[in-house]
Amino acid sequence: DAGVIQSPRHEVTEMGQEVTLRCKPISGHNSLFWYRQTMMRGLELLIYFNNNVPIDDSGMPEDRFSAKMPNASFSTLKIQPSEPRDSAVYFCASRSVRNTEAFFGQGTRLTVV
Amino acid sequence: AQSVTQLDSQVPVFEEAPVELRCNYSSSVSVYLFWYVQYPNQGLQLLLKYLSGSTLVKGINGFEAEFNKSQTSFHLRKPSVHISDTAEYFCAVIPFGRTALIFGKGTTLSVSS
C-alpha cells in the first residue's frame, strides 16, 4: 500500500484566496483525521470522520474551514478565504477499525502571504 | 478533558549516549499510549504503543517506553543514540471509547558527534 497520500505537498497562496487540500487514506481504513501543526500550538485535531461521516469538528478554527469526505477514498479540507495565520503544515491520517494507531501522510505545507 | 505534557521541549545529547524523553498525561479514563517520530519534512511514524499487558514496550529503532499508571507517565528511552535519531518526538494518547489521538507539544532530540 502506498500509505496516506496528500496533495499538494506545498502550497503558497495569497490572502483571500481559496485553498483546497486533498487526502487519499489507506484502502480499508474507516477513520480519517485532519491535523494542523504549528510551532505555537503543536499538533491540533481539526476534524475526523468515521465511515465518511464527520464525527467531531470541534477543532475547526472557524467557519472559513470546511472538510468533506464524499467517499471512502478521498477527503478535502478547504479554507475560504485564507489568511496568513492559516500558514501551517496540515496532516491527514487514517486508521482501520482493527488497529489503534493512525498512519499519517507527508503533510501539506501551506503558506498564506 | 485529557492532556499530554512533554516535559522537555529540546534534548541535546551526544552520539552513543543514553536518552530519556519524558511524557506525562492527564485523563479521567484509561488511555492507550503512543510515541511517534517526525523526521524533517516528513509525516509522523509510529515508534511504539502501549495498549495493555507488560508495561515495558519495545519499538522500532531500539527505542522502548515504560508505562507507569501511578505516575501517569510513559517515558521513552534509548540506551545509545545515533545521529540519525535526530528528530521531533511526540507522545500521544487515545482515551478509551474515543478515536482520535491527542498529542503533546513534542520534544526535539538533537544528537551530535
Side-chain angles (χ1 to χ4, degrees), chain A residues 36-55:
Chain A
R36 178 172 68 176
Q37 184 179 33
T38 61
M39 290 290 291
M40 290 296 295
R41 302 172 70 92
L43 278 157
E44 304 172 276
L45 176 69
L46 300 177
I47 185 171
Y48 79 90
F49 297 81
N50 275 350
N51 297 317
N52 313 338
V53 176
I55 301 300

Side-chain angles (χ1 to χ4, degrees), chain A residues 11-27:
Chain A
E11 177 80 34
V12 180
T13 190
E14 291 185 349
M15 183 173 62
Q17 296 298 307
E18 176 180 295
V19 176
T20 299
L21 311 182
R22 297 173 175 80
C23 175
K24 176 179 168 53
I26 293 173
S27 177

Side-chain angles (χ1 to χ4, degrees), chain A residues 4 25-26 28-33 48-51 93-104, chain B residues 32 34 36 94-95 97-101:
Chain A
V4 176
I26 293 173
H29 284 193
N30 69 319
S31 295
L32 183 138
F33 311 86
Y48 79 90
F49 297 81
N50 275 350
N51 297 317
S94 69
R95 170 188 157 182
S96 78
V97 68
R98 292 182 301 278
N99 290 306
T100 51
E101 71 263 30
F103 294 81
F104 283 75
Chain B
Y32 301 118
F34 304 82
Y36 279 82
I94 298 178
R98 305 288 297 273
T99 302
L101 287 155

Side-chain angles (χ1 to χ4, degrees), chain B residues 72-91:
Chain B
T72 59
S73 68
F74 191 53
H75 301 332
L76 182 71
R77 302 186 185 100
K78 186 169 183 178
S80 176
V81 295
H82 301 130
I83 298 285
S84 58
D85 292 323
T86 295
E88 187 86 10
Y89 291 80
F90 293 93
C91 182

Side-chain angles (χ1 to χ4, degrees), chain B residues 25-106:
Chain B
Y25 68 93
S26 173
S27 177
S28 56
V29 300
S30 296
V31 298
Y32 301 118
L33 295 141
F34 304 82
W35 276 97
Y36 279 82
V37 60
Q38 183 181 29
Y39 298 104
N41 300 312
Q42 299 289 319
L44 281 74
Q45 177 184 0
L46 181 70
L47 268 180
L48 48 78
K49 62 183 177 182
Y50 173 79
L51 305 182
S52 64
S54 173
T55 57
L56 183 63
V57 179
K58 294 189 183 299
I60 62 172
N61 301 339
F63 284 93
E64 63 180 32
E66 185 155 21
F67 170 51
N68 187 318
K69 187 173 183 178
S70 63
Q71 297 187 4
T72 59
S73 68
F74 191 53
H75 301 332
L76 182 71
R77 302 186 185 100
K78 186 169 183 178
S80 176
V81 295
H82 301 130
I83 298 285
S84 58
D85 292 323
T86 295
E88 187 86 10
Y89 291 80
F90 293 93
C91 182
V93 303
I94 298 178
F96 281 15
R98 305 288 297 273
T99 302
L101 287 155
I102 300 168
F103 284 94
K105 289 288 182 68

